[in-house]
Amino acid sequence: MSPPLLQYKTVWLSDIHLGFRDCRADYLLDFLNSVECETLYLVGDVVDLWALKKRFFWPAAHYDVLRAILKKSRHGTRVVYIPGNHDEPLRDYVGETVGAVEIKHEVIHQTADGRKLLVFHGDVLDPHIRLNKLEHLVGDVAYDFLLFLNRWGNVIRSRLGLGYWSLATYIKKRVKNARQVIDIYEQAAAEEAMRRGLDGVVCGHIHQPGMRMIDGIVYCNDGDWIESCSALTETDSGELQLLHWSDRQRVLREFDSQVDLHQAEVIPLRKAG
């Protein structure tokens, strides 16, 4: 018997990068087939048009992810697509509804407990990071190499019976310059929400899932499906949770329904007053 579906009021996903070789479409498909929600936000870089332009790559699992999303949109889930920089041409369709999917530039989401959150991809904050061209080039080359190591490292881990582990995420958390860039980005996102008089912000773009308070602002990054395989969720009471989803969670779910399978990082973050 299949386990019951996980029920959420809202789910945020971003940086899926369908069409890119290192997209973990298998994990995402498992996640989509395991949850139900009232609203699903796709917060940019769902389809990686940059990667597809360099080399066409579209296995069956990538098609299945799109089909699962469209199926949800036809069965009562509100699906909102906020294009990012890797699927930027879709910004030409902002304000339109394609099938049952709404395309928006950004959204103000109100949680069940009354907080107002700015939802946008986050590439608009790039000028705050101020990387020069050489740093961008070195960063791209280094990142591609990390993903190469990540891919083959997890092939070996799988053969040894070990779960998925992201080398790229591990490195980013420990390299000083990378951590500084992440901190600057998070601060800039929180300041944008503060400038608009909002309670918080939900974004993606930097492939670094996280939840924290920054100067009284709720900062949430829903992560990605290349490195972290993560999603941000909202419960019916307005609680925000960051879920990490991998093959280890899928195996545990088959054997022990009492285990906290998704390593939920929970921040109660209630609205003051």
Side-chain angles (χ1 to χ4, degrees), residues 173-189:
K173 286 182 177 180
R174 286 159 179 80
V175 175
K176 182 179 179 180
N177 288 347
R179 186 63 250 178
Q180 287 177 340
V181 168
I182 293 168
D183 288 343
I184 293 169
Y185 176 88
E186 292 178 350
Q187 185 68 40

Side-chain angles (χ1 to χ4, degrees), residues 242-260:
L242 188 61
L243 308 185
H244 298 269
W245 200 275
S246 72
D247 52 352
R248 184 173 296 279
Q249 279 75 19
R250 184 163 58 239
V251 171
L252 284 173
R253 188 166 60 255
E254 293 174 357
F255 293 99
D256 188 355
S257 61
Q258 301 304 311
V259 176
D260 183 9

